Amino acid sequence: AVEISLPDLKRDDRRAASLAAELAEAGVEATTTPGGRGQFDVFADGRRVFSKHELGRFPEDGEIARLLS
């Protein structure tokens, strides 16, 4: 299971929805959960695979799907 953790901000909601749609095309189901301020993390089976805080950026198109394959 993939979980996208983000704050309750509209611009990040769009990013999360776009990422969830991208993952769905790759056959991966993703859900969003509330996170801390400025957070945009992606977890797969409880393991963090992407952290905006650590990398200082949002994921690039296709990056999460590549990390999960």
Side-chain angles (χ1 to χ4, degrees):
V2 174
E3 181 180 296
I4 305 165
S5 183
L6 65 155
D8 188 22
L9 300 173
K10 294 298 178 200
R11 72 171 184 266
D12 289 341
D13 286 348
R14 284 181 297 205
R15 288 182 194 269
S18 175
L19 176 56
E22 178 183 303
L23 293 174
E25 287 179 16
V28 177
E29 182 181 338
T31 59
T32 59
T33 59
R37 181 181 172 152
Q39 182 178 9
F40 194 98
D41 292 338
V42 180
F43 296 87
D45 299 322
R47 180 180 58 92
R48 187 171 51 203
V49 296
F50 182 89
S51 170
K52 177 186 146 209
H53 177 75
E54 288 179 5
L55 296 173
R57 62 176 177 80
F58 286 97
E60 298 172 3
D61 291 344
E63 182 174 4
I64 302 301
R66 285 190 302 276
L67 290 170
L68 297 174
S69 61

